[in-house]
Amino acid sequence: AQRVTQPEKLLSVFKGAPVELKCNYSYSGSPELFWYVQYSRQRLQLLLRHISRESIKGFTADLNKGETSFHLKKPFAQEEDSAMYYCALSGSGGYNKLIFGAGTRLAVHP
Amino acid sequence: SAVISQKPSRDICQRGTSLTIQCQVDSQVTMMFWYRQQPGQSLTLIATANQGSEATYESGFVIDKFPISRPNLTFSTLTVSNLSPEDSSIYLCSVVGGQGGLDEQFFGPGTRLTVL
C-alpha cells in the first residue's frame, strides 16, 4: 500500500536548535518525495523535492531508499520556521496525485 | 507559478443540502485535483479533473456524492451533495504547473465547510 508516515504531530524546539522532521514512506516503485509547508493563514506550498537536491530556507532532505525515509532537517531553527509541514509522495513517470502524511507542526520558541 | 482562487472561502450548511465550490486558475492547466482535509487529518485526494473527460475518483469517493465539472482549462467546480456533519472539512483544489521541466502542484486557499 502507498503510505506516508510522519510519526510526530508536534515538534517543539528553541530557536537555534537543530530540527529533524521525520518522514517514512511505503511505495512499490520509485516515488518522488516532497515536503510541503503551510504557514499560519497561508496556503500550502512546496518547500522542496528530492530530485532537486536543493536547500530551501536552510532546510534539506535526503531520500534514503534503504530506510524508505525522507527526513527534513535544518541545523538552526528560526522562529519563522514555525508552520505545519507535510511530507508527500507522487508516483514516478510524471506528475501524479500526491499522497500526504498526517503532518507535523513545528513550533520554534524564542 | 499558478494563482488559484476558490469560492466560497467558507460556508456553514444544513444537513441534507449541497455546496458547490468553485476553483479558478489564472492560466490554462490540464490537470486539476480536488482534496479534502478533515479536522486534524491530512489531505486526501478526492478526484482528478481533466478538461474534456470525466473526473477520476479515488477509492472511497463517488460521483453521486462529489460531482465535478471541468468546463474549460481554467475552471472547475466540486459539489458536495447531501451534506452530513462528517463532510465538515477543508476542500482544496490544486493544479500542476511549472517551468524548466520541473512540474509543481499549486494549491488554492481552501474552502472551509461546516455542516450543522
Side-chain angles (χ1 to χ4, degrees):
Chain A
Q2 302 172 10
R3 188 171 59 246
V4 177
T5 302
Q6 294 180 251
E8 303 142 328
K9 282 193 173 182
L10 172 65
L11 185 61
S12 187
V13 302
F14 287 103
K15 177 181 173 182
V19 168
E20 183 179 50
L21 287 80
K22 296 190 188 306
C23 172
N24 287 89
Y25 67 90
S26 173
Y27 186 81
S28 56
S30 297
E32 295 188 36
L33 274 296
F34 307 84
W35 277 98
Y36 277 81
V37 61
Q38 188 167 27
Y39 301 101
S40 178
R41 297 188 181 87
Q42 295 187 28
R43 64 186 66 190
L44 195 64
Q45 58 186 285
L46 178 67
L47 179 62
L48 55 79
R49 69 184 83 197
H50 87 270
I51 59 173
S52 298
R53 295 182 172 275
E54 56 196 348
S55 174
I56 303 293
K57 299 183 179 182
F59 285 97
T60 59
D62 291 320
L63 179 60
N64 186 322
K65 293 184 179 181
E67 296 181 358
T68 60
S69 68
F70 188 55
H71 303 327
L72 183 68
K73 300 178 184 179
K74 184 170 183 176
F76 307 103
Q78 303 297 315
E79 289 181 68
E80 54 266 29
D81 296 329
S82 296
M84 196 74 184
Y85 291 80
Y86 294 95
C87 182
L89 72 79
S90 173
S92 58
Y95 215 101
N96 298 310
K97 62 182 182 182
L98 288 172
I99 298 170
F100 284 87
T104 298
R105 179 168 297 282
L106 175 63
V108 182
H109 304 285
Chain B
S1 65
V3 178
I4 304 168
S5 60
Q6 286 184 233
K7 289 182 181 178
S9 59
R10 59 178 62 223
D11 206 343
I12 300 173
C13 299
Q14 295 295 321
R15 186 194 299 255
T17 63
S18 298
L19 177 69
T20 295
I21 303 167
Q22 299 178 6
C23 178
Q24 180 76 52
V25 189
D26 68 342
S27 57
Q28 294 185 338
V29 294
T30 302
M31 301 177 73
M32 295 183 77
F33 303 90
W34 285 99
Y35 287 84
R36 179 177 74 181
Q37 187 173 25
Q38 294 176 300
Q41 306 289 320
S42 185
L43 286 82
T44 302
L45 182 66
I46 297 171
T48 302
N50 293 330
Q51 196 269 338
S53 62
E54 293 210 359
T56 303
Y57 290 83
E58 297 299 307
S59 175
F61 298 95
V62 295
I63 188 172
D64 289 346
K65 176 68 175 178
F66 299 98
I68 289 171
S69 77
R70 183 79 201 275
N72 57 53
L73 291 174
T74 64
F75 187 79
S76 177
T77 66
L78 168 74
T79 299
V80 190
S81 305
N82 190 23
L83 290 168
S84 68
E86 292 71 35
D87 295 319
S88 297
S89 297
I90 297 174
Y91 293 86
L92 301 102
C93 71
S94 72
V95 303
V96 176
Q99 54 188 5
L102 278 180
D103 284 338
E104 180 178 335
Q105 196 162 131
F106 299 91
F107 285 84
T111 295
R112 184 181 292 274
L113 169 61
T114 301
V115 183
L116 303 178

